[in-house]
């Protein structure tokens, strides 16, 4: 019996900071007829707000150090302002959506990261049993589209900030047993680029071995590293298709059943 298609789509980068780009993206997202889950970050908005409030931000290998003040900011932005704005725009496009953090419906639990070298603060790491797939299935089977931010919890009352790319990979892997999952990382670039300054230098396909070479030659760096790490983790855990690409082009390709962006292969 053929599995149903499920699109798990993560939106981030400059698209989420632009009202015009975000509206266009959500209009295209609403046109996808198959089951779908939207996951969003919003780091740049937190960066801007933290500057205004004088809260220093620190990143290590593309990952945010989350102290108590930063956790408050990320929760307000991710689970509040940004999440509800996205849901409101989806409703305006005729998509019945519900905004979620990991606490809602106990849908995503994580554990506080322990690292011998770096104190990441209130950062949550995904566990094998993190995703409550039955909760998401109830919503999707009722025709409701989950919109998930990257705030999770540890089950003991503590909120945690979880990398949205990691969260997307974990959700995709959790549903891979039940659905034919396509995981899409959408942002403002055409895909993974040989030259970050040249949007026409996109790599069409990257295997796990080629990724090692790209890392060794420092062709990919900073925020692209966790994205690619998570993309290959999803493939390793049974996700059929993982694509990284431009928000508009990827969604248009999905709606037209065409290809766009960089495809990751085992």
């Amino acid at each position: 019996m053929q599995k149903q298609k499920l699109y798990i789509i993560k939106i981030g980068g400059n698209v989420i900071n632009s009202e015009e780009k975000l509206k266009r993206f959500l209009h295209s997202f609403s046109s996808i007829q198959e089951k779908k889950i939207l996951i969003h970050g919003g780091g740049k908005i937190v960066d801007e707000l933290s500057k205004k409030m004088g809260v220093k931000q620190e990143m290590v290998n593309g990952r945010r150090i989350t102290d108590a003040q930063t956790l408050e900011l990320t929760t307000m932005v991710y689970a509040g302002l940004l999440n509800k704005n996205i849901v409101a725009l989806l409703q305006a496009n005729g998509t019945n959506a519900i905004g979620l953090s990991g606490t809602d419906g106990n849908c995503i639990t994580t554990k506080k990261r322990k690292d011998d070298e770096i104190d990441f603060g209130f950062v949550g790491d995904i566990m094998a049993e993190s995703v409550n797939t039955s909760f998401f299935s109830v919503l999707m089977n009722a025709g409701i589209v989950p919109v998930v931010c990257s705030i999770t919890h540890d089950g003991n009352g503590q909120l945690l900030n979880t990398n949205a790319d990691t969260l997307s990979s974990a959700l995709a892997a959790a549903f891979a047993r039940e659905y034919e999952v396509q995981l899409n990382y959408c942002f403002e670039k055409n895909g993974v680029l040989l030259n970050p300054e040249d949007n026409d230098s996109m790599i069409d396909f990257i295997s796990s071995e080629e990724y090692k070479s790209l890392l060794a030659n420092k062709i990919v760096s900073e925020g692209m590293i966790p994205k690619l790490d998570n993309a290959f983790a999803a493939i390793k855990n049974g996700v059929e298709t993982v694509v990284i690409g431009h928000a508009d082009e990827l969604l248009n390709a999905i709606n037209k059943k065409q290809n766009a962006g960089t495809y990751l292969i085992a």
Side-chain angles (χ1 to χ4, degrees):
M1 184 175 174
Q2 188 174 8
K3 294 179 180 177
Q4 273 189 293
K5 190 81 173 182
L6 171 62
Y7 289 101
I8 293 182
I9 298 174
K10 188 262 178 175
I11 181 63
N14 292 336
V15 177
I16 214 160
N17 296 330
S18 165
E19 183 179 352
E20 180 184 345
K21 290 177 181 178
L22 184 59
K23 283 183 176 179
R24 188 167 64 240
F25 169 83
L26 294 174
H27 177 75
S28 296
F29 177 83
S30 293
S31 298
I32 297 172
Q33 298 302 306
E34 294 86 354
K35 288 183 178 178
K36 54 198 175 187
I37 298 174
L38 181 61
I39 300 158
H40 66 84
K44 289 183 174 63
I45 297 174
V46 169
D47 291 339
E48 292 167 3
L49 186 59
S50 63
K51 283 181 183 178
K52 292 178 182 178
M53 299 182 67
V55 179
K56 185 179 178 182
Q57 297 295 288
E58 187 178 355
M59 305 288 286
V60 177
N61 295 327
R63 297 181 184 273
R64 187 182 301 276
I65 303 294
T66 305
D67 60 16
Q69 281 186 301
T70 299
L71 181 64
E72 289 182 1
L73 289 179
T74 53
T75 302
M76 286 189 288
V77 173
Y78 298 170
L81 176 65
L82 190 52
N83 187 267
K84 300 312 169 192
N85 184 51
I86 289 172
V87 171
L89 289 170
L90 286 174
Q91 300 291 4
N93 278 283
T95 293
N96 191 8
I98 185 168
L100 301 169
S101 70
T103 64
D104 300 302
N106 195 34
C107 63
I108 305 168
T109 53
T110 55
K111 63 178 179 180
K112 191 172 183 290
R113 179 174 300 170
K114 292 182 180 179
D115 191 293
D116 293 335
E117 296 180 1
I118 302 167
D119 181 6
F120 282 93
F122 295 100
V123 168
D125 280 335
I126 298 286
M127 304 171 287
E129 68 277 14
S130 284
V131 180
N132 182 351
T133 54
S134 61
F135 174 76
F136 285 102
S137 292
V138 167
L139 295 175
M140 290 190 291
N141 290 335
I144 301 171
V145 176
V147 178
V148 187
C149 74
S150 54
I151 298 298
T152 58
H153 74 130
D154 67 356
N156 295 306
Q158 178 61 58
L159 294 173
L160 296 167
N161 183 21
T162 298
N163 181 276
D165 290 335
T166 307
L167 199 59
S168 304
S169 176
L171 273 167
F175 281 106
R177 293 182 293 273
E178 185 180 351
Y179 292 90
E180 179 191 335
V181 177
Q182 179 171 321
L183 171 60
N184 305 270
Y185 288 111
C186 299
F187 66 148
E188 68 277 4
K189 302 289 186 180
N190 285 343
V192 182
L193 307 178
L194 282 170
N195 177 2
E197 305 304 317
D198 181 5
N199 215 15
D200 293 326
S201 66
M202 187 189 80
I203 308 169
D204 292 322
F205 297 93
I206 302 176
S207 68
S208 54
E209 286 302 313
E210 287 168 332
Y211 177 43
K212 291 176 185 176
S213 175
L214 292 172
L215 274 177
N217 291 297
K218 297 184 179 179
I219 293 172
V220 294
S221 59
E222 297 179 352
M224 186 56 72
I225 293 174
K227 198 179 299 294
L228 283 166
D229 284 346
N230 286 302
F232 282 110
I235 292 171
K236 186 178 179 181
N237 286 299
V239 177
E240 298 215 8
T241 309
V242 182
V243 193
I244 298 174
H246 191 281
D248 292 337
E249 292 180 8
L250 257 184
L251 292 199
N252 286 336
I254 288 171
N255 282 316
K256 294 177 181 179
K257 301 298 184 282
Q258 297 173 347
N259 294 336
T262 299
Y263 279 72
L264 289 304
I265 54 179

